[in-house]
Amino acid sequence: MNDVTLSLDEVRDLATRALLANGCNQANADAVADTVTAAERDGCKSHGLFRIPGYVKSLKNGKINGQSTPVVMQPGPCIVKVDGDRGLAPLALQMARAPLIEAARKNGMAALAIRRSHHYAALWPETEALAIEGLVGMAFVNSPPYMAPAGGKAPFFGTNPMSFAWPRPDGGAVVWDQATAATARGELQIAKRDGHAAPECAGIDRDGNPTTDPAAILEGAQLPFGGYKGGAIALMVDLLCGPLIDEVSSQEVAAEDNGDGGPATGGELVLAIDPGHFGGANAIARGERLLDALSSMDGVRLPGNRRLAARAQTPTHGAAIPASLHQAIQDLL
Ligand code: NDP
């Protein structure tokens, strides 16, 4: 397959122009282009330019409000709520970040609940941004029902991802970010596009039979990682992002979604904890000891290190995307 290599400025420019040409105002286009560019920079292909055609489809058919003006509210000292105005999550997250950080620093911890918003991206940008500010960050998102619960044969849960970030004394962070599905849906879509097999245990076909055919899994159901244990975490994410904040559960997302494959509506919960209010300076020092011991073990690496390695290289080498995707985005301008 032919690739086109773009600089990060070219990635941002292409994403911004495609969004502006298809119904986003400047604030929304800039916020989404930031997440797309960060994903390409960090080698997270399934959340980079690959997502632009899906964003555009949902902007054009009116599912998403590209002119959204998220409203940030603070009903209590530790609670930040955002009404996303049916827009894309990046702008809502951007507007809520400062109040969330301020509330966590003041009170020791704070929670952000985002409703009426469409999340289609990775979660590490929101948790890493908190850790860079010296806070522990956690984030959860629910999504349309693509995943069968352990023992089930039909989709029930979204691939309901979650992320965790821990601050490091050098201003960096250790971050993990994962779907509760054995394999992220975007990875299956890319495997289907590129003619690759899906990993074992990624999912089942429409009849409930295990398969490694990504197309059959996309039509059937994905499976949680770790069997019933991953299923339990998917349940937790669904309850935190749905009922807790008066938003739709994965099951209810399906009823509200137009099935266009673009970002569905759903809730997001972000938690920020200030270690200074708990373990004080010892918290970070003890964390470093733990992380050093872990990463010095043979064959072990810290989560997030693959991204950080890509981040160091992309500014020099550029971001390679399939020529067909590049053309598809050009056609949207
Ligand atoms: P992966 O399985 O690729 O990675 C999960 C995490 O494990 C990453 O933090 C990764 O770090 C880390 N990791 C991987 N291999 C190792 C290893 N050998 N040792 C230590 N750590 C390791 O992610 P998923 O496929 O589960 O999810 C991909 C993305 O999809 C996530 O960003 C998620 O937020 C997103 N998503 C978004 C949804 C939405 O609705 N918005 C829905 C579902 C998923 P590293 O990156 O460094 O490899």
Side-chain angles (χ1 to χ4, degrees):
M1 188 193 313
N2 290 338
D3 280 345
V4 173
T5 300
L6 302 177
S7 70
L8 290 176
D9 284 345
E10 288 169 333
V11 167
R12 185 186 305 277
D13 179 63
L14 186 60
T16 308
R17 286 191 294 130
L19 293 162
L20 286 174
N22 289 281
C24 272
N25 61 16
Q26 193 72 48
N28 273 283
D30 287 345
V32 175
D34 278 352
T35 66
V36 166
T37 308
E40 290 291 347
R41 179 199 64 195
D42 282 18
C44 299
K45 292 293 169 193
S46 59
H47 293 99
L49 288 167
F50 171 70
R51 292 287 177 184
I52 291 290
Y55 283 126
V56 166
K57 199 189 282 182
S58 299
L59 284 162
K60 282 170 90 167
N61 67 33
K63 181 167 85 177
I64 289 173
N65 176 11
Q67 310 282 316
S68 70
T69 306
V71 178
V72 181
M73 298 156 277
Q74 285 196 260
C78 307
I79 300 172
V80 181
K81 289 185 176 180
V82 180
D83 178 331
D85 192 22
R86 292 196 310 106
L88 292 161
L91 182 59
L93 282 158
Q94 198 182 79
M95 291 172 65
R97 187 166 297 139
L100 176 67
I101 290 170
E102 195 186 325
R105 287 200 176 127
K106 200 166 167 191
N107 301 294
M109 58 193 300
L112 162 66
I114 302 182
R115 297 177 63 247
R116 297 210 323 128
S117 171
H118 296 253
H119 203 296
Y120 200 38
L123 293 178
W124 57 260
E126 37 261 44
T127 56
E128 185 179 58
L130 295 173
I132 286 169
E133 294 290 333
L135 304 173
V136 177
M138 299 176 80
F140 311 87
V141 160
N142 67 358
S143 56
Y146 294 134
M147 192 170 79
K153 291 191 172 173
F156 183 89
F157 292 121
T159 52
N160 296 2
M162 60 190 169
S163 175
F164 172 86
W166 177 268
R168 309 210 58 183
D170 63 359
V174 60
V175 184
W176 59 255
D177 179 16
Q178 60 194 39
T180 47
T183 306
R185 196 166 187 81
E187 297 296 340
L188 292 175
Q189 289 163 336
I190 286 179
K192 178 183 164 191
R193 181 194 72 192
D194 296 349
H196 298 146
E200 298 282 342
C201 302
I204 51 181
D205 65 20
R206 277 186 165 171
D207 301 319
N209 302 310
T211 176
T212 57
D213 175 356
I217 296 171
L218 290 168
E219 282 171 18
Q222 295 175 245
L223 289 174
F225 72 85
Y228 64 87
K229 295 185 181 182
I233 294 176
L235 169 64
M236 176 192 74
V237 173
D238 224 351
L239 288 168
L240 292 177
C241 300
L244 179 73
I245 65 171
D246 190 20
E247 248 295 0
V248 285
S249 66
S250 294
Q251 280 286 292
E252 292 163 339
V253 171
E256 295 209 0
D257 195 58
N258 63 8
D260 65 352
T265 192
E268 176 163 10
L269 186 76
V270 183
L271 304 177
I273 303 171
D274 185 347
H277 287 253
F278 291 87
N282 289 342
I284 300 304
R286 281 177 177 271
E288 280 306 291
R289 290 210 292 278
L290 188 158
L291 294 170
D292 284 347
L294 179 63
S295 51
S296 65
M297 288 177 77
D298 239 7
V300 174
R301 72 159 169 95
L302 293 178
N305 277 7
R306 177 203 58 81
R307 275 193 311 101
L308 296 180
R311 184 179 295 184
Q313 293 212 330
T314 313
T316 314
H317 299 298
I321 64 163
S324 55
L325 173 62
H326 188 246
Q327 188 56 54
I329 300 174
Q330 296 278 359
D331 292 344
L332 300 172
L333 300 178

